[in-house]
Amino acid sequence: MSEAKKRRSTGRVTLNDVAQLAGVGAMTVSRALRTPELVSDKMRERIEAAVDELGYIPNRAAGALASATSQTIVVIVPSLTECGCGEVIAGLQQTLRGEGYQIMLGDAQHLKQQEESLLTSFLQHNPAAVVLFGSDPGETIRQRLQAARLPVVEVGAMARSPIDMNVGVSNFDAGYQLTRHLIERGYRNIGFLCARQEQWMLQQRMQGWQKALLDNYLSPDAIINTSERPSFSTGAAMLGEFLLRWPELDALVCVNDELAAGVLFECQRRHLNVPGKLAIAGFDDLDVARACYPALTSVRIPYQRMGEEAADLILRQLVGEPVMGSALTLDFQLQKRQSS
C-alpha cells in the first residue's frame, strides 16, 4: 500500500509531533485528547506533558475545513441479511465510536448499480473513509474511490487488487480445507450449493472446493448456483434438485450455514440420515450450526475482528500514521462436527 496520505504543512505543531515526543502512536494521542478516560493515567500524563512542552493546540474545526471531511465512515454491504455483516459492523462501531466517528450504512441489495449509486450519494457527504464488505468492486467504484483519495478498506475476502487496504480471510483456502476434510472422511461425490455466486468471497469458496476435488481426481460437476437469497428455505428447496440430478451424492458443501441448515432440516423431513446418507458442511459457524442436531461442520470466520482491524487501519491513516502493507489476512478455523 502507498504511504499514508499527507496533509499540506502549515508550520504548526502537529499531532504527530506530540506523538513523537511522547513516544506513542498518533492514534493514542488522538484517543487521549478525545476520550482521556480510555487511556491509562501514566500514558495520559506523558501525552499531556508533550502537549504542554510543544504548545500543541487541537483545532478540530480548522482540521475539518482543511481536510473537507466529516466524522462519518461509510460502510456499504451487499445485504443487511448477509452472514457476518452484523459482526463486522459491531467490530467497526466498537473501535470507531471511541474516536468520535459514526457509521453511514448502505445496503446494496446484491446489485452493483445500487452499490455505485449508494457510493456516489455518500461521497457527497465528504466521509472520512469508506468500508466495502464482501464484494469485488467494479471499475466505476474503483475509479471514484481513487479519485476521492480517502482511506478505503475492503473487508471479508482477500481482494485480487485492493483499492487501498484489505482485511479478510482466504476464502479459497477455507473452501479447500473444508472439502479436503470431507475427502479424508471418505466422501467421493461432493456437491456444492451456492447462492448469489457473483460475490467474490463466495466465488473463492467455490474455487477452493473445485481445486480440492481436482487435486484428488474427483469430479467438480455437482454444483448448483441459485439466484435466490441464501436462506434456510433455499437450502431445503435445493436438496431435491441435487438428489434428482446426482443420486450418488454423498456430501454437500453449502456456501453458508443458513443454506446448510436448510439442507439438514429437509434431510430430516425426508428421513435421510446425516451423515450416513449425506454429509453436510457450511461456512461462517453461525449459532444455528452449533445448535442444530446433528451439529454442522463449518468454517468459523472472524467477522467482528475484521471490523476491528479495518477500523484500526482507518484511524491510523486518518491521524497520519504510515500503514505498512495493504492486506491483512486473518485466520479461519475448521469446526469438525457430527454432520460430516
Side-chain angles (χ1 to χ4, degrees):
M1 187 195 65
S2 60
E3 288 187 11
K5 302 169 181 64
K6 296 182 173 62
R7 297 192 177 108
R8 183 180 302 171
S9 175
T10 62
R12 297 178 54 179
V13 176
T14 68
L15 186 142
N16 279 329
D17 296 330
V18 175
Q20 186 174 3
L21 181 61
V24 298
M27 193 169 73
T28 302
V29 175
S30 175
R31 182 179 297 113
L33 297 176
R34 289 178 182 275
T35 51
E37 68 277 6
L38 298 180
V39 179
S40 68
D41 292 342
K42 184 177 180 180
M43 184 71 70
R44 188 170 61 251
E45 290 171 3
R46 285 171 56 189
I47 292 171
E48 289 174 351
V51 168
D52 292 340
E53 181 176 338
L54 294 174
Y56 174 66
I57 301 175
N59 191 341
R60 296 189 178 93
L65 289 172
S67 61
T69 60
S70 67
Q71 294 294 105
T72 300
I73 308 295
V74 165
V75 181
I76 300 179
V77 301
S79 170
L80 289 174
T81 62
E82 191 72 28
C83 295
C85 278
E87 292 181 55
V88 168
I89 292 168
L92 285 164
Q93 286 183 322
Q94 180 176 319
T95 305
L96 293 171
R97 188 182 296 117
E99 302 299 326
Y101 289 92
Q102 299 296 323
I103 286 176
M104 181 182 291
L105 181 62
D107 181 345
Q109 300 176 341
H110 292 286
L111 299 172
K112 186 59 65 178
Q113 186 175 2
Q114 174 77 350
E115 187 177 23
E116 294 172 2
S117 177
L118 284 169
L119 180 63
T120 300
S121 176
F122 288 164
L123 287 178
Q124 295 174 13
H125 295 275
N126 298 318
V130 174
V131 177
L132 302 176
F133 175 73
S135 66
D136 185 23
E139 192 58 30
T140 299
I141 289 177
R142 182 177 296 272
Q143 290 176 354
R144 288 176 185 171
L145 288 173
Q146 289 173 339
R149 300 184 63 80
L150 299 172
V152 178
V153 187
E154 295 165 69
V155 174
M158 300 314 298
R160 286 175 284 201
S161 177
I163 297 170
D164 184 9
M165 299 174 285
N166 187 198
V167 179
V169 302
S170 173
N171 284 276
F172 176 89
D173 288 347
Y176 189 94
Q177 289 193 25
L178 178 57
T179 307
R180 188 176 66 180
H181 160 68
L182 294 173
I183 295 170
E184 291 172 348
R185 294 285 295 170
Y187 301 103
R188 292 296 178 266
N189 299 290
I190 304 172
F192 190 88
L193 174 57
C194 188
R196 303 288 171 88
Q197 181 191 334
E198 68 276 5
Q199 289 186 56
W200 176 230
M201 63 191 299
L202 306 188
Q203 289 178 359
Q204 288 181 328
R205 293 174 183 179
M206 179 190 68
Q207 290 165 3
W209 163 81
Q210 288 177 324
K211 184 66 163 57
L213 291 176
L214 292 173
D215 284 353
N216 288 273
Y217 307 101
L218 300 174
S219 170
D221 291 337
I223 179 170
I224 293 178
N225 175 37
T226 174
S227 61
E228 298 296 322
R229 187 174 70 85
S231 64
F232 298 138
S233 58
T234 301
M238 290 297 104
L239 176 62
E241 185 173 346
F242 266 105
L243 296 178
L244 181 64
R245 295 170 63 180
W246 298 284
E248 72 280 6
L249 195 76
D250 59 8
L252 183 59
V253 175
C254 300
V255 82
N256 69 22
D257 284 341
E258 287 183 282
L259 287 170
V263 171
L264 173 63
F265 299 152
E266 181 63 11
C267 283
Q268 292 170 340
R269 191 185 73 81
R270 293 172 177 241
H271 303 289
L272 299 177
N273 181 268
V274 177
K277 177 63 177 176
L278 182 70
I280 305 170
F283 291 85
D284 298 327
D285 196 31
L286 301 180
D287 186 58
V288 67
R290 301 183 292 273
C292 63
Y293 182 82
L296 283 169
T297 291
S298 186
V299 178
R300 180 174 298 172
I301 309 293
Y303 287 116
Q304 180 160 340
R305 188 182 163 205
M306 285 183 196
E308 295 168 355
E309 295 287 356
D312 181 68
L313 287 173
I314 288 170
L315 292 171
R316 287 166 59 191
Q317 252 205 35
L318 289 175
V319 299
E321 281 190 17
V323 181
M324 304 302 294
S326 61
L328 177 60
T329 305
L330 304 181
D331 293 330
F332 59 84
Q333 294 179 320
L334 176 58
Q335 305 296 313
K336 302 174 183 178
R337 301 194 178 100
Q338 294 92 333
S339 70
S340 63

